[in-house]
Amino acid sequence: DIQMTQSPSSVSASVGDRVTITCRASQGITAWLAWYQQKPGKAPKLLIYDTSNLQSGVPSRFSGSGSATDFTLTISSLQPEDFATYYCQEANTFPSFTFGPGTKVDIK
Amino acid sequence: EVQLVQSGAEVKKPGESLKISCKGSGYSFIDYWIGWVRQMPGKGLEWMGIIYPGDSDTKYSPSFQGQVTMSVDRSISTAYLQWYSLEASDTAMYYCARRFRRYYFDYWGQGTLVTVSS
């Protein structure tokens, strides 16, 4: 099975900050990676798919990059509504797709 | 508007059976795979498996193979997740979600909380 790790596990940031979250796969997954945002008590929301494609309706301050085993999610200017937990998900190893453990972004 | 509406919270005893549901609307239900994701209390997301309503083709993650059963009723645009004998470790929030592109999920249900306790 592919193992996914994320760093940091949590980050404290202020409104307006640039925030970068890293996701690493234990083996190459080409570009089959997505990012989700989850707020407490809510279902996850798809932000980015295929490493860098912005899902419809998602603000352009969110961006993704990477390839093979190393990927990043960047929030260019953190907004109050962005405080949440972020998960990466690989879509390479059918049917055992794996989510990362999550990165919590909270208010500094 | 695409919607996935899940059944309500359940409290069960170990050994009991359970079937939770996920009703799709606002799109052609039979044309999109429906997946299930587990989130144990305070923990991350786990991909359980996926079912194609068009022909009930089902793929389980090895971690959940034999532990749960996925099914659909096309006539009422509803997908199901079923347990035959619950364990305390099944206590979790369960989400259904619609497959998007590769094997991502673009629309999610609101979640069904399953609590298993003696």
Side-chain angles (χ1 to χ4, degrees):
Chain A
D1 286 4
I2 291 180
Q3 308 302 316
M4 305 296 289
T5 57
Q6 288 183 232
S7 61
S9 57
S10 66
V11 57
S12 294
S14 301
V15 172
D17 284 353
R18 181 182 184 88
V19 173
T20 298
I21 299 169
T22 296
C23 177
R24 177 163 290 170
S26 60
Q27 58 187 268
I29 58 171
T30 60
W32 305 125
L33 186 103
W35 291 95
Y36 297 86
Q37 175 194 68
Q38 186 179 33
K39 296 181 179 180
K42 299 295 187 182
K45 173 186 175 182
L46 179 64
L47 300 175
I48 302 278
Y49 64 93
D50 291 349
T51 295
S52 59
N53 290 304
L54 198 66
Q55 174 65 347
S56 177
V58 174
S60 59
R61 62 180 179 274
F62 291 93
S63 63
S65 64
S67 65
T69 60
D70 295 297
F71 302 86
T72 59
L73 172 71
T74 299
I75 310 171
S76 60
S77 178
L78 197 67
Q79 297 302 299
E81 60 268 31
D82 300 337
F83 291 98
T85 299
Y86 293 84
Y87 295 93
C88 59
Q89 180 222 327
E90 61 88 7
N92 187 69
T93 50
F94 184 81
S96 185
F97 305 118
T98 305
F99 290 90
T103 295
K104 185 177 181 180
V105 177
D106 59 23
I107 301 171
K108 193 172 189 177
Chain B
E1 178 193 9
V2 174
Q3 283 193 308
L4 295 172
V5 178
Q6 297 185 231
S7 49
E10 302 274 2
V11 179
K12 292 289 189 180
K13 290 181 166 48
E16 291 186 333
S17 62
L18 176 64
K19 193 174 189 177
I20 63 174
S21 67
C22 169
K23 182 174 176 61
S25 63
Y27 73 101
S28 179
F29 182 75
I30 62 170
D31 290 334
Y32 289 80
W33 293 76
I34 292 287
W36 291 92
V37 174
R38 182 174 79 175
Q39 188 166 37
M40 299 177 77
K43 301 299 184 182
L45 305 169
E46 298 174 270
W47 208 95
M48 300 177 69
I50 199 162
I51 185 166
Y52 186 64
D55 61 6
S56 296
D57 186 16
T58 308
K59 309 295 182 186
Y60 296 97
S61 167
S63 299
F64 291 92
Q65 179 82 49
Q67 308 305 308
V68 296
T69 300
M70 298 175 190
S71 61
V72 295
D73 184 337
R74 286 180 286 277
S75 68
I76 55 172
S77 301
T78 299
Y80 299 98
L81 182 65
Q82 184 171 18
W83 294 259
Y84 292 101
S85 181
L86 286 159
E87 302 176 1
S89 58
D90 294 316
T91 294
M93 181 72 80
Y94 293 87
Y95 293 101
C96 66
R98 190 181 79 164
R99 177 189 169 186
F100 174 73
R101 301 245 178 172
R102 180 79 174 173
Y103 282 99
Y104 314 118
F105 296 126
D106 59 350
Y107 287 93
W108 294 65
Q110 82 277 19
T112 295
L113 180 62
V114 174
T115 303
V116 184
S117 174
S118 55

